[in-house]
């Protein structure tokens, strides 16, 4: 019996040792100064952009390679087949520059544009910039929640639109047309930073090529109002910033250095996470329920949409039952209604 206990004790010790070894390999690297690391990252990204070229096919599948003297290729920075753009993102006290390429913005008429908290259906390829090797790929599109992946995605993907879906007909397969397609070059501070991931080391700048096929607008608090309609959108804010703002962390709308969240009742919970947006003790979801007379075969949903749509002629009303005026104070944002 004692021998059995000894054997079991050794087995448990070995299992525990193996688990500790595995966990230690996945532990984050010691945290570096964000400014120092960003300076190193952007230098590496600039060097990569100037020393590599890219090619892409008709379906926007992208490949990178090293420039060679007399090779007849232009660098990523100087290639006239596409335009290398950049945008600035403030995070961790750093103004990060993100280079990106917009091969095609997407379908501007029938496609949809995601916000930073929506789910997207996307095919992509991730490249380790230092080793210039693939570390992740999804040839077949997969679904991602933009607030659940590296933050660089949530700042670049909203610059694109989805495509349009064509169902399979006879021998012809289903296809997506005019989808958004591009490339983003991410400093480690907008990627995995001090965490190793897949076969890339901590503090690695990375590159993603991607194709945005479809999206799903989310409703975090389940109140019947989509997150995209619960962001603060004052008229004084340029349209492009309304899409780049991150509702999860807020945006400094008035430039006073304080992040503003769209929090109607001032309870410290942003509307997109608040089930009672105006603090009147009546759930937002209750205040958006359709009147029975407005539920028809053509308009079957149980809740009014934020604004009228081609299939929903009435949006959420104000207290006087105005369903359509764009500037109306919708009743779930007006505590005087109850």
């Amino acid at each position: 019996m004692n021998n059995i206990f000894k054997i079991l004790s050794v087995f448990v010790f070995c299992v525990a040792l193996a688990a500790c070894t595995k966990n230690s390999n996945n532990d984050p690297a010691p945290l570096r100064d964000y400014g120092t690391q960003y300076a190193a990252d952007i230098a590496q990204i600039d060097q990569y952009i100037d020393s590599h070229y890219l090619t892409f096919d008709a379906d926007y599948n992208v490949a990178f390679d090293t420039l060679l003297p007399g090779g007849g290729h232009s660098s990523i920075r100087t290639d006239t087949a596409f335009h290398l753009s950049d945008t600035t993102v403030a995070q961790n006290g750093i103004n990060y520059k993100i280079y990106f390429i917009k091969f095609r913005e997407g379908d501007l008429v029938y496609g949809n544009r995601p916000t930073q908290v929506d789910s997207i259906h996307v095919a992509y390829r991730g490249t380790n910039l230092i080793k210039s090797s693939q570390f992740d790929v999804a040839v077949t599109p997969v679904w991602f929640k933009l607030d659940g992946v590296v933050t660089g995605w949530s700042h670049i993907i909203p610059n694109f639109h989805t495509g349009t879906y064509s169902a399979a007909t006879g021998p012809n397969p289903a296809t997506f047309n005019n989808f958004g397609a591009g490339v983003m070059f991410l400093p480690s501070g907008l990627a995995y930073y001090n965490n190793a991931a897949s076969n890339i080391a901590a503090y690695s700048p990375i590159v993603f090529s991607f194709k945005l096929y479809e999206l799903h607008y989310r409703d975090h608090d389940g109140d019947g109002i989509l997150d995209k309609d619960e962001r603060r959108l004052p008229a004084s804010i340029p349209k492009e910033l309304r899409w780049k703002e991150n509702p999860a962390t807020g945006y400094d709308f008035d430039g006073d250095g304080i992040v503003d969240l769209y929090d109607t009742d001032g309870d410290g919970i942003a509307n997109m996470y608040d089930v009672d947006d105006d603090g009147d003790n009546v759930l937002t979801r209750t205040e958006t329920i359709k009147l029975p007379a407005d539920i028809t075969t053509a308009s079957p949903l149980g809740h009014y949409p934020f604004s009228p749509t081609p299939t929903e002629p009435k949006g959420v009303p104000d207290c006087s039952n105005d369903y359509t005026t764009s500037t109306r104070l919708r009743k779930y944002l007006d505590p005087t209604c109850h």
Side-chain angles (χ1 to χ4, degrees):
M1 182 67 72
N2 287 337
N3 288 336
I4 293 175
F5 277 117
K6 289 179 180 177
I7 293 172
L8 288 174
S9 297
V10 171
F11 174 76
V12 171
F13 173 77
C14 291
V15 171
L17 179 62
C20 290
T21 302
K22 182 177 180 181
N23 288 337
S24 65
N25 289 339
N26 292 329
D27 287 343
L31 195 63
R32 297 178 183 173
D33 176 76
Y34 285 106
T36 302
Q37 184 58 44
Y38 171 63
D41 286 347
I42 196 64
Q44 292 173 334
I45 291 172
D46 277 323
Q47 193 276 334
Y48 185 90
I49 287 173
D50 290 327
S51 63
H52 287 72
Y53 69 93
L54 69 78
T55 55
F56 58 95
D57 62 19
D59 201 39
Y60 298 102
N61 296 305
V62 178
F64 300 94
D65 210 339
T66 305
L67 280 173
L68 296 174
H73 297 286
S74 299
S75 71
I76 295 171
R77 193 183 304 276
T78 61
D79 198 327
T80 57
F82 51 83
H83 177 66
L84 179 69
S85 303
D86 66 80
T87 187
T88 301
V89 172
Q91 186 172 302
N92 304 318
I94 306 298
N95 288 327
Y96 288 99
K97 175 188 283 188
I98 305 181
Y99 289 108
F100 68 99
I101 297 168
K102 188 182 290 186
F103 295 125
R104 184 169 64 191
E105 186 170 344
D107 194 320
L108 304 184
V109 177
Y110 300 106
N112 290 309
R113 190 176 190 178
T115 69
Q116 295 187 331
V117 294
D118 293 316
S119 296
I120 57 170
H121 198 213
V122 60
Y124 68 91
R125 178 181 179 230
T127 301
N128 186 332
L129 184 143
I130 303 303
K131 296 182 178 180
S132 198
S133 60
Q134 176 180 296
F135 70 87
D136 195 9
V137 66
V139 177
T140 300
V142 295
W143 283 98
F144 278 137
K145 295 176 181 177
L146 275 176
D147 56 356
V149 295
V150 297
T151 55
W153 277 65
S154 66
H155 292 289
I156 296 302
I157 294 297
N159 289 282
F160 294 79
H161 286 71
T162 62
T164 51
Y165 176 75
S166 297
T169 55
N172 300 315
T175 60
F176 279 97
N177 304 299
N178 299 326
F179 51 82
V183 175
M184 65 179 88
F185 300 83
L186 301 182
S188 64
L190 299 177
Y192 301 105
Y193 204 54
N194 62 324
N195 294 287
S198 186
N199 61 343
I200 60 174
Y203 301 112
S204 295
I206 53 181
V207 185
F208 283 105
S209 57
F210 57 88
K211 293 179 277 188
L212 176 62
Y213 291 109
E214 186 55 279
L215 69 80
H216 173 69
Y217 287 122
R218 297 172 68 196
D219 177 9
H220 272 76
D221 52 8
D223 63 1
I225 305 296
L226 296 175
D227 294 338
K228 72 181 182 70
D229 295 322
E230 294 206 86
R231 302 176 310 141
R232 186 175 181 181
L233 302 177
S236 60
I237 301 303
K239 181 179 179 181
E240 60 271 16
L241 288 182
R242 300 184 188 187
W243 290 97
K244 293 179 182 179
E245 140 222 354
N246 190 339
T249 57
Y251 188 85
D252 181 10
F253 290 102
D254 52 17
D256 62 359
I258 300 174
V259 169
D260 303 302
L261 289 173
Y262 192 10
D263 177 13
T264 300
D265 57 7
D267 62 356
I269 304 174
N271 283 12
M272 62 180 290
Y273 303 114
D274 194 345
V275 296
D276 177 12
D277 292 329
D278 56 7
D280 61 357
N281 296 317
V282 179
L283 295 177
T284 297
R285 188 167 184 83
T286 299
E287 295 184 272
T288 63
I289 293 177
K290 283 183 182 178
L291 294 175
D294 292 326
I295 300 176
T296 65
T297 302
S299 179
L301 298 179
H303 294 262
Y304 294 108
F306 181 75
S307 293
T309 70
T311 57
E312 296 284 345
K314 293 182 177 180
V316 178
D318 65 9
C319 291
S320 64
N321 290 325
D322 177 352
Y323 294 89
T324 58
T325 303
S326 61
T327 57
R328 70 193 183 282
L329 180 59
R330 293 163 176 83
K331 64 180 181 179
Y332 72 90
L333 299 175
D334 185 355
T336 65
C337 280
H338 297 93

